[in-house]
Amino acid sequence: MPEEKTFYLETFGCQMNVHDSEKVIGALMQQGYRQVQTVEDAGLVLYNTCSIRDKAEQKVFHRLADFKKLQSQGKRFGVLGCVAQQEGARIFERAPHVSLVCGSASYRNLPHLIEELEAGTQRITGLDDRQTDETFETEFTARSNPYRGYITIIEGCDKFCAYCVVPYTRGKERSRTSDSVLREAQRMAEQGFTDIQLLGQNVNSYRDPSHRMSFAELLAAIGEVPGIRRVRFTTSHPRDFTRDIVDAMNAVPAVCNHVHLPVQSGASSTLKRMLREYTRDQYLERIAWMKASPREISLTTDVIVGFPGETDAEFEETISLLDEVGYDGVFSFKYSPRPNTPALNLPDSIPDEVKAQRLAILQERQRQIQAARNRRHLGENIEVMVEGYNSVRGQWIGRSAQNKTVNFVAAGAAPVPGGYYEVRITATFPNSLAGELQNTSWVPEQTFTAPPTLRVLQ
Ligand code: SAH
Ligand code: SF4
Ligand code: F3S
């Protein structure tokens, strides 16, 4: 009897990586592999890695060091994702027990690379990077949630912001045809998915290769697929954020009223050094379109503090921007110098203590802003999709269209995961809302228990 082929996969980084892992899992299962939940049980151990900041990159090398001794038991190790693309064959020097190094722009060759691995080749690389025009599509995607699923519509990045590794790790911008995206959405709707999240490093830089639909039109078309109740999209780039996206949100109720629009800094001078190619005013113009919308649109963003040369006055402009916009969430990071990026030519001049101090000031201010913004929901009825149950707190966990976490109690029959319910908000916090179940809006015909296929570490 041939030995059973098993793999363990751990995922780091952004939603694009999470979804890539779902596709990699599907592709491996198609090749006769079974997923296992521990490194010890696996013949093939894969890490899908992130290199956005130095800390993220170090995680994978720590993992590889932890399991080095297991190679003698015949296990093969592979590094996928952004660190794989960035470091290439240098990974074999740092971690000689690794056999496979493959960046995301080469995943379509993965079945072939895995065959080579099985045939006993010691060191295999798939590092297409900026050469390829192709996207990675597979009909075998092993989605880990039966109700809410991702669709990648555009891969790569051509923007080359001064601090960022993504254009070097993810290859050039390449979009899927609107037909192929719509077909996937329809297939998912038939399988029982009701919530779709469109993904791209810059999702709104989408350019239909068949020239049939703009990003806003695609968004609206997916929102109109029968069975789809929610369509989300992330991440939007301010430079390509057009007014018709707001129009699509207003015209199609299933398009969720939430936009994640990373600003990075509130100072035009810093934005210029970051090579973001927009000013504070241009960014705020886009925010104004959304604030003028008849539907209340929730806004979230990303901010980097301590970019080379950032003065106190520039940092203050970022704080004043947070006050002006009133975000519902902010992901904030200390600047981390990254290989190959243009910002390496600027001295990393802000001491770590100052970066840490700015981060703490910003996060405290944002906590107050969020507390105040969430208070406005008190007494409202909000529709949530149920995601799970917290048995310690005796509360159900749901998510609103605006992507807010809503914890709630249910007096009568237990809510069904994947179902939509009206919840009356009775308490608010900076990071969540709490309430009581009022009505059932919709429940799925089939109930599933999701297989635990994915382990994600941020
Ligand atoms: N394409 C998106 C961002 C993708 S990266 C955009 O342009 O907005 C996710 C976030 O990581 C970025 O928005 C940025 O805030 C942060 N980031 C990227 N490179 C970084 C670096 N070198 N140091 C610190 N944070 C970084
Ligand atoms: Fe990075 Fe800029 Fe591309 Fe975003 S747009 S992924 S920050 S280079
Ligand atoms: Fe995502 Fe990290 Fe790569 S954020 S694109 S996995 S560098």
Side-chain angles (χ1 to χ4, degrees):
M1 269 246 311
E3 216 177 284
E4 192 192 20
K5 300 194 285 190
T6 51
F7 73 99
Y8 170 85
L9 172 65
E10 199 169 315
T11 306
F12 303 83
C14 63
Q15 286 142 316
M16 299 284 283
N17 255 20
V18 171
H19 185 44
D20 280 348
S21 284
E22 292 181 331
K23 296 192 222 177
V24 167
I25 291 169
L28 281 166
M29 285 168 41
Q30 191 57 24
Q31 273 180 279
Y33 281 79
R34 183 170 67 84
Q35 188 181 18
V36 294
Q37 299 305 318
T38 64
V39 172
E40 285 71 17
D41 290 341
L44 175 61
V45 178
L46 298 172
Y47 296 104
N48 191 3
T49 61
C50 172
S51 113
I52 200 79
R53 285 166 291 274
D54 186 56
K55 240 194 202 154
E57 176 180 340
Q58 295 318 321
K59 275 185 198 160
V60 64
F61 289 107
H62 291 143
R63 279 290 189 287
L64 286 168
D66 288 348
F67 296 113
K68 204 169 168 177
K69 56 184 183 304
L70 293 174
Q71 191 196 22
S72 57
Q73 299 170 7
K75 292 186 197 307
R76 311 297 298 273
F77 287 81
V79 179
L80 311 179
C82 290
V83 178
Q85 186 65 49
Q86 176 189 297
E87 293 300 305
R90 282 195 298 268
I91 291 183
F92 298 134
E93 290 157 31
R94 265 181 94 169
H97 56 303
V98 169
S99 309
L100 170 70
V101 173
C102 181
S104 64
S106 307
Y107 288 165
R108 67 191 183 289
N109 300 329
L110 206 55
H112 172 65
L113 301 176
I114 297 286
E115 276 169 18
E116 275 189 53
L117 201 64
E118 288 168 355
T121 309
Q122 281 311 310
R123 288 184 168 179
I124 301 162
T125 52
L127 299 165
D128 267 4
D129 185 30
R130 299 194 65 84
Q131 321 297 325
T132 187
D133 281 324
E134 289 177 54
T135 52
F136 174 41
E137 293 166 43
T138 164
E139 55 190 293
F140 307 117
T141 306
R143 289 195 164 82
S144 59
N145 179 312
Y147 317 108
R148 187 156 50 89
Y150 296 125
I151 301 181
T152 304
I153 64 165
I154 171 168
E155 295 177 21
C157 179
D158 289 345
K159 306 283 191 286
F160 293 95
C161 302
Y163 49 81
C164 184
V165 290
V166 171
Y168 313 94
T169 63
R170 286 268 168 183
K172 57 183 167 188
E173 276 178 9
R174 48 207 192 276
S175 300
R176 291 171 57 180
T177 62
S178 48
D179 264 3
S180 121
V181 173
L182 271 169
R183 268 200 313 273
E184 187 165 357
Q186 280 154 356
R187 212 168 43 231
M188 286 171 71
E190 284 157 16
Q191 290 166 355
F193 287 88
T194 59
D195 180 329
I196 285 186
Q197 184 159 346
L198 303 181
L199 292 182
Q201 252 78 35
N202 297 300
V203 73
N204 59 327
S205 305
Y206 175 79
R207 296 286 170 274
D208 184 356
S210 60
H211 308 288
R212 294 177 60 175
M213 284 189 185
S214 67
F215 171 66
E217 286 165 342
L218 181 62
L219 200 58
I222 294 176
E224 278 161 359
V225 169
I228 299 302
R229 300 178 67 93
R230 287 181 175 177
V231 187
R232 307 172 183 282
F233 53 101
T234 198
T235 294
S236 297
H237 194 291
R239 213 200 300 177
D240 294 325
F241 195 87
T242 46
R243 228 183 179 139
D244 56 355
I245 300 172
V246 185
D247 297 339
M249 243 179 265
N250 288 324
V252 183
V255 177
C256 287
N257 47 341
H258 166 224
V259 174
H260 183 64
L261 196 64
V263 67
Q264 313 302 356
S265 166
S268 294
S269 46
T270 312
L271 289 170
K272 193 162 187 189
R273 291 199 303 286
M274 288 177 162
L275 307 176
R276 287 290 284 181
E277 293 191 18
Y278 55 83
T279 61
R280 176 188 174 108
D281 285 347
Q282 285 165 335
Y283 181 88
L284 286 173
E285 188 188 3
R286 279 135 187 88
I287 297 292
W289 297 339
M290 291 186 265
K291 293 209 166 166
S293 159
R295 248 177 121 186
E296 192 206 59
I297 298 175
S298 158
L299 295 163
T300 56
T301 199
D302 294 346
V303 172
I304 296 177
V305 299
F307 185 75
E310 186 188 60
T311 62
D312 285 336
E314 286 172 327
F315 173 65
E316 278 306 318
E317 284 195 70
T318 298
I319 298 290
S320 83
L321 184 105
L322 299 191
D323 289 338
E324 197 168 333
V325 176
Y327 291 106
D328 285 308
V330 174
F331 298 92
S332 49
F333 312 100
K334 292 193 280 185
Y335 167 68
S336 168
R338 305 307 297 130
N340 310 317
T341 58
L344 282 185
N345 296 323
L346 308 169
D348 181 17
S349 56
I350 312 298
D352 195 57
E353 311 85 76
V354 177
K355 286 182 188 165
Q357 208 176 24
R358 287 183 184 167
L359 195 67
I361 293 170
L362 184 147
Q363 289 178 345
E364 177 49 30
R365 177 70 69 97
Q366 182 54 30
R367 214 182 62 84
Q368 291 165 9
I369 293 172
Q370 271 170 231
R373 285 202 52 85
N374 279 348
R375 263 197 297 277
R376 304 178 332 152
H377 293 298
L378 205 62
E380 280 179 11
N381 269 11
I382 292 185
E383 189 183 68
V384 304
M385 184 215 231
V386 174
E387 296 186 343
Y389 182 68
N390 181 334
S391 53
V392 178
R393 293 166 62 181
Q395 283 179 324
W396 294 88
I397 307 159
R399 192 177 294 270
S400 73
Q402 293 193 330
N403 209 28
K404 296 193 180 189
T405 300
V406 181
N407 300 304
F408 63 98
V409 290
V416 181
Y420 290 77
Y421 298 85
E422 294 258 318
V423 173
R424 175 175 295 274
I425 304 304
T426 54
T428 67
F429 307 95
N431 291 310
S432 65
L433 308 173
E436 293 160 5
L437 187 146
Q438 301 295 300
N439 298 307
T440 304
S441 317
W442 180 89
V443 288
E445 279 166 27
Q446 311 156 273
T447 51
F448 302 86
T449 39
T453 47
L454 263 183
R455 241 190 103 193
V456 185
L457 298 160
Q458 291 301 326

